[in-house]
């Protein structure tokens, strides 16, 4: 596959927004893959953490926005704990969620959350779930 | 005079995890301190925002801290998530003057981050001491192989939490040893249980929590001990699938550390909330001769 690198893509306003919200600089990632190795949900992500970083380094925001990675991240911070560069992919994924949610688009509809879960789950799961998935 | 420790229960301990709260208060009294509930508190938000620009999400925990500061200079929690959220928020307010101003503006306060946020385990280790705890043991948990499950929130990120080594923590094991149990080390003790994905992705939760359970059990665990109501919930729920899929797997009790603490220091067995657990601890206690009776 041919990869075209263009300044207007890798420094696009979308990338700048992700960098501003997440507080992370994409280029600091040197693609060692330790985040993906440590991430407990890599197996379920369409793009594991290190690939999210790579796609963003290449300016390919749309593919990253389409992938399920941001919604499957559990926020466990293993990626950050293991990253030799001190990058928090967790912050990048949360920034992506925030960018979606701040536009008022919900990922989860409250009425679709299963009733047995609402009845028996610890309150913290409900509060946290709403914060992560609902605008 | 009994040492009084200001205490923030949080929402879950006031509702579905009441036993976690009650056993902790009771154990404290037996050991020689009192958990004094804050007069005014609200939900901490149960999530520390992972992006630095999301300051509005810090207003709920900041309000808790600001009110707690009016009652003393420390606040203690039991739930790992409350602990994580309060401790990290406190650090932001203390270290970052600009953010402090913004957050205080949201909640109409002048809080400066001068509170010290403690986990109950830290109180046991640093204020009571595990040696003294050992002396308080009346019903040693002899012969019980207990796996201590830390999960994420009690440990990470290390520079903000710092309760113990983030990769090889031992605070939980040391507490269990003081109670007479045999701690079981296992690879997944600091891995996530699946957390809030319990809301919409039970597949991932069952896989993650299932990995924690099998990793513990394969290393000999007969009991799982934790400090987070969501971990407790996910680890219990995930076992249904394990029972279906793993021949010979019959389910392992998952309890709060305060329940075994109470058990060891001689609390009435009927006050420990064990009946709420999906997989009962009683057969294990009978088998080990810790509580008289039969399965
Ligand atoms: S661990 Fe850090 S440097 Fe390595 S691939 Fe992940 S984000 Fe990049
Ligand atoms: S915080 Fe998210 S991306 Fe990072 S290791 Fe955990 S699940 Fe994976």
């Amino acid at each position: 596959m041919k990869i075209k690198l263009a300044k207007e893509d890798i420094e696009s306003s979308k990338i700048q927004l992700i960098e501003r919200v997440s507080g992370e600089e994409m280029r600091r990632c040197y693609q060692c893959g330790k985040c993906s190795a440590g991430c407990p949900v890599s197996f379920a992500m369409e793009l594991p953490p290190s690939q999210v970083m790579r796609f963003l380094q290449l300016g390919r925001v749309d593919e990253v926005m389409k992938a399920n990675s941001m919604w499957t991240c559990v926020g466990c911070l293993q990626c950050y704990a293991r990253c030799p560069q001190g990058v928090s992919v967790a912050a990048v994924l949360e920034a992506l969620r925030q960018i979606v949610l701040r536009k008022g688009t919900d990922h989860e509809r409250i009425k679709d959350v299963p009733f047995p879960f609402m009845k028996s789950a610890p309150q913290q799961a409900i509060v946290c779930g709403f914060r992560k998935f609902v605008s | 005079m009994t040492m009084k420790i200001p205490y923030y229960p949080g929402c879950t301990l006031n509702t579905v995890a009441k036993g976690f709260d009650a056993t902790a208060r009771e154990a404290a009294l037996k050991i020689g301190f009192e958990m004094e509930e804050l007069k005014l508190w609200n939900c901490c938000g149960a999530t520390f925002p992972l992006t630095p620009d999301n300051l509005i999400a810090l207003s709920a925990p900041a309000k808790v801290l600001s009110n707690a500061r009016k009652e003393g200079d420390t606040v203690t929690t039991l739930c790992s998530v409350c602990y994580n959220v309060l401790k990290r928020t406190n650090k932001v307010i203390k270290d970052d003057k600009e953010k402090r101003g913004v957050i205080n503006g949201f909640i109409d306060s002048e809080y400066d981050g001068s509170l010290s946020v403690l986990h109950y385990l830290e109180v046991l280790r640093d204020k009571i001491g595990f040696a003294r705890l050992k002396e308080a043991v009346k019903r040693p948990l002899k012969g019980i192989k207990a796996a201590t499950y830390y999960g994420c929130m009690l440990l990470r990120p290390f520079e903000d939490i710092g309760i113990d080594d983030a990769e090889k923590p031992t605070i939980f094991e040391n507490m269990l040893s003081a109670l007479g149990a045999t701690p079981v080390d296992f690879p997944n003790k600091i891995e996530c249980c699946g957390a809030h994905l319990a809301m919409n992705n039970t597949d991932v939760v069952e896989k993650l929590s299932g990995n924690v359970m099998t990793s513990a059990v394969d290393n000999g665990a007969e009991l799982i001990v934790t400090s987070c109501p969501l971990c407790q919930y996910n680890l219990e729920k995930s076992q249904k699938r394990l029972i279906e899929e793993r021949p010979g797997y019959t389910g392992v009790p998952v309890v709060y550390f305060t329940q075994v603490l109470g058990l060891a220091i001689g609390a009435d067995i009927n006050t420990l909330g064990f009946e709420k657990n999906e997989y009962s601890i009683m057969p294990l206690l009978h088998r080990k001769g810790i509580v008289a009776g039969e399965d």
Side-chain angles (χ1 to χ4, degrees), chain B residues 229-288:
Chain B
L230 184 48
C231 298
Q232 202 275 344
Y233 176 84
N234 283 339
L235 293 183
E236 265 193 352
K237 288 268 174 291
S238 70
Q239 293 189 71
K240 214 172 146 212
R241 186 152 138 195
L242 284 181
I243 292 172
E244 286 162 14
E245 288 177 1
R246 280 198 24 144
Y249 189 95
T250 51
V252 174
V254 184
V255 301
Y256 296 118
F257 72 96
T258 53
Q259 291 179 284
V260 287
L261 174 66
L263 177 69
I265 59 177
D268 178 351
I269 188 89
N270 298 314
T271 64
L272 293 170
F274 287 138
E275 70 286 348
K276 291 250 165 63
N277 294 131
E278 214 158 305
Y279 302 96
S280 173
I281 194 178
M282 295 316 287
L284 178 66
L285 300 182
H286 294 154
R287 218 162 54 236
K288 304 282 175 179

Side-chain angles (χ1 to χ4, degrees), chain A residues 39-41 45 49 73-79 90 93:
Chain A
C39 172
V41 286
M45 287 181 175
C73 166
V74 284
C76 70
L77 296 183
Q78 270 308 19
C79 49
L93 292 169

Side-chain angles (χ1 to χ4, degrees), chain A residues 3 9 28 31 39 50 99:
Chain A
I3 295 178
D9 291 335
R28 285 187 51 219
Q31 285 294 299
C39 172
S50 55
I99 288 168

